[in-house]
Amino acid sequence: MKTASIPAPPRRPAARGLAGARRGPHHARVSRAPRFLILETGRPVPSLRRHGDFTHWIRTAADLSRERVEVSRVLDGERPATASRYAGVLVTGSGAMVTDREPWSEWTAGWLGEAAAAGVPVLGICYGHQLLAHALGGRVDWNPRGREMGTVAIELHEDARHDPLFHALPARFHAQATHLQSVTTPPPGAAVLARSALDDCHAFRWGASAWGLQFHPEFSTTHMRGYIAARRDALSGEGLCHRRMMASVRPSPAARRLLHRFVRHAAHRHG
């Protein structure tokens, strides 16, 4: 796929609905030598917050020190600095829904579209995956196959063989997932890299350095089991057995390696 043939992402309002948005004190503390930016779009379920926030989970899984990470809590109205300041941008998951078109989410979509178009390496996870697809002209909606949760089998498409992040992964591997919405139509020009039994677009790449992952490479088995436990009533109402799902949770080292590959890819491009 040639990057030059990819259409530019649709322009979105730069700050509609975010009057008075702010940067938190943590922004100033770590901004002296930032390398990677994490856009925090949500928080873990309450029972798992003792393990830290999504930023901590991603930073730990990616082996990024605190000094190499800057955080912008866009969910709370914080605005990140210009994307070109960073080696790469990672976008967390969230309990929010992209289809709700919340002002903070739409503003972030506009920022992400501009970052991706500028060639800044971007990795969106779960909600971040969906928001990136939305920003680049794709479609996000309720998954017509229903909730996907637990350790799921991911199968790679042919395009993954030549992808900077996916090329060394096995054709089939396991990953942790929990979502109700999906990318139902990938962005124009995107390469779909992976699928599962319940989601045809579990990963995509747009251009040379913008990726979306529906699954959670940062999740440990503790995180996954904690989410299943937190959703047990909803699962029961959908005819799913949370105990059986819990028992099937297994480690997903191949999925986690994608975080390390993204960090290396972004750092190399940044020089």
Side-chain angles (χ1 to χ4, degrees):
M1 180 183 66
K2 295 181 179 179
T3 305
S5 64
I6 296 172
R11 293 189 63 82
R12 300 184 187 279
R16 183 176 298 170
L18 285 184
R22 63 201 182 282
R23 295 178 184 176
H26 56 281
H27 189 286
R29 283 202 305 269
V30 298
S31 61
R32 294 174 184 172
R35 295 301 307 275
F36 286 84
L37 173 68
I38 296 180
L39 299 182
E40 205 167 84
T41 65
R43 299 178 180 85
V45 291
S47 59
L48 287 176
R49 291 177 188 172
R50 67 183 184 277
H51 298 294
D53 54 21
F54 287 143
T55 291
H56 174 72
W57 298 6
I58 291 172
R59 186 181 60 76
T60 301
D63 292 330
L64 282 168
S65 65
R66 292 180 185 274
E67 293 73 24
R68 296 185 66 193
V69 172
E70 187 170 317
V71 185
S72 182
R73 296 192 172 96
V74 293
L75 176 68
D76 296 331
E78 294 179 9
R79 297 184 193 175
T82 304
S84 60
R85 289 184 54 188
Y86 308 102
V89 178
L90 300 101
V91 192
T92 74
S94 178
M97 298 296 167
V98 170
T99 56
D100 286 344
R101 305 288 191 268
E102 294 285 348
W104 66 266
S105 183
E106 289 293 280
W107 188 93
T108 305
W111 189 94
L112 281 174
E114 292 177 2
V120 176
V122 176
L123 181 69
I125 298 171
C126 195
Y127 187 87
H129 158 80
Q130 297 168 16
L131 189 62
L132 179 63
H134 169 58
L136 297 172
R139 178 177 172 81
V140 176
D141 209 337
W142 298 93
N143 187 347
R145 298 171 189 166
R147 183 191 301 271
E148 184 174 46
M149 193 169 206
T151 304
V152 302
I154 303 296
E155 296 182 1
L156 297 184
H157 288 292
E158 183 66 23
D159 281 339
R161 292 189 179 187
H162 311 289
D163 183 80
L165 304 191
F166 282 83
H167 71 92
L169 294 186
R172 191 174 187 271
F173 62 93
H174 288 91
Q176 317 301 342
T178 173
H179 65 109
L180 287 165
Q181 294 197 334
S182 295
V183 175
T184 55
T185 303
V192 177
L193 304 173
R195 66 177 179 268
S196 71
L198 296 181
D199 193 326
D200 293 331
C201 184
H202 242 285
F204 72 86
R205 185 189 70 251
W206 186 91
S209 295
W211 286 271
L213 308 177
Q214 182 58 69
F215 55 88
H216 285 270
E218 81 282 16
F219 268 28
S220 67
T221 54
T222 297
H223 299 144
M224 190 69 260
R225 291 192 178 105
Y227 262 85
I228 293 169
R231 301 285 188 253
R232 60 183 178 273
D233 290 342
L235 291 166
S236 177
E238 295 165 9
L240 300 171
C241 177
H242 80 276
R243 292 186 180 85
R244 187 177 298 117
M245 190 178 290
M246 194 96 70
S248 69
V249 171
R250 57 186 290 182
S252 52
R256 180 161 293 200
R257 285 203 297 272
L258 289 169
L259 284 173
H260 300 147
R261 289 182 177 277
F262 175 77
V263 168
R264 288 198 297 270
H265 171 84
H268 177 75
R269 284 178 60 94
H270 190 67

